[in-house]
Amino acid sequence: MEVMNKIISESDVNNDRLEFPARSLSAFPMPDGQNSVQFVAFDMQEQQWRFEVSIHNEGRYAKPWLNGEWHDYVHQKGLKKGDKVTLTMDEEENGERIYRIRAERKHYGFWYSFDDQLSLWLCNELGQNTICVCLEEVPTSFVRLVLLPL
């Protein structure tokens, strides 16, 4: 399930936190009385990133943001204004939630993932759907195409 995808703003890059829509909060069970929850997300290289989702205690709206190792993630992936970050969550049968994070950059009208050294993901938004093609380098010297609806 896609939790959120967001085009990165200048403040997301420079303020050591990623602001995101309140509708995404349902993916992060937050105990009553608390205003933050920690979780681990895996990138496309299976590297673990420790993040924290926090909300404001004041005001009418939750206004959530993600911090924790966000600054390190931005720095390692070379994120800049205009790039896109997608966060997904899958719930296992035992109730465990597995989070994944992917960074993408738009080039010639296509989104491509630049944090996976073995594959090139080309994504294009078609109306309300996003279609991705994965070009993987495999040992037999050919390219395998994988279509994934997101």
Side-chain angles (χ1 to χ4, degrees), residues 44-58:
M44 294 182 75
Q45 297 174 333
E46 296 300 319
Q47 181 175 346
Q48 291 185 18
W49 295 93
R50 298 187 186 288
F51 295 119
E52 182 176 40
V53 170
S54 302
I55 57 173
H56 291 281
N57 284 331
E58 306 169 354

Side-chain angles (χ1 to χ4, degrees), residues 76-93:
Q76 182 176 325
K77 304 300 180 185
L79 292 178
K80 59 185 181 179
K81 178 183 174 184
D83 291 341
K84 180 167 64 171
V85 170
T86 302
L87 184 66
T88 61
M89 184 268 299
D90 291 311
E91 193 162 350
E92 302 289 311
E93 288 183 19

Side-chain angles (χ1 to χ4, degrees), residues 90-107:
D90 291 311
E91 193 162 350
E92 302 289 311
E93 288 183 19
N94 64 3
E96 181 183 2
R97 293 176 179 217
I98 308 295
Y99 297 92
R100 300 216 174 261
I101 189 165
R102 183 176 70 240
E104 297 174 283
R105 182 162 290 147
K106 199 167 194 174
H107 193 65

Side-chain angles (χ1 to χ4, degrees), residues 2 15 19 28 48 52 56-57 64 68 77 86 103 108 121 125 131 138 140 143:
E2 184 173 288
N15 293 337
E19 296 179 0
F28 306 100
Q48 291 185 18
E52 182 176 40
H56 291 281
N57 284 331
K77 304 300 180 185
T86 302
Y108 295 113
W121 287 86
E125 297 171 3
I131 302 296
V138 292
T140 55
V143 174

Side-chain angles (χ1 to χ4, degrees), residues 11-41:
S11 67
D12 294 328
V13 172
N14 295 328
N15 293 337
D16 297 336
R17 68 182 192 183
L18 171 72
E19 296 179 0
F20 64 93
R23 67 180 175 272
S24 300
L25 278 173
S26 62
F28 306 100
M30 201 170 299
D32 288 338
Q34 292 189 3
N35 66 344
S36 67
V37 63
Q38 295 180 351
F39 70 100
V40 172

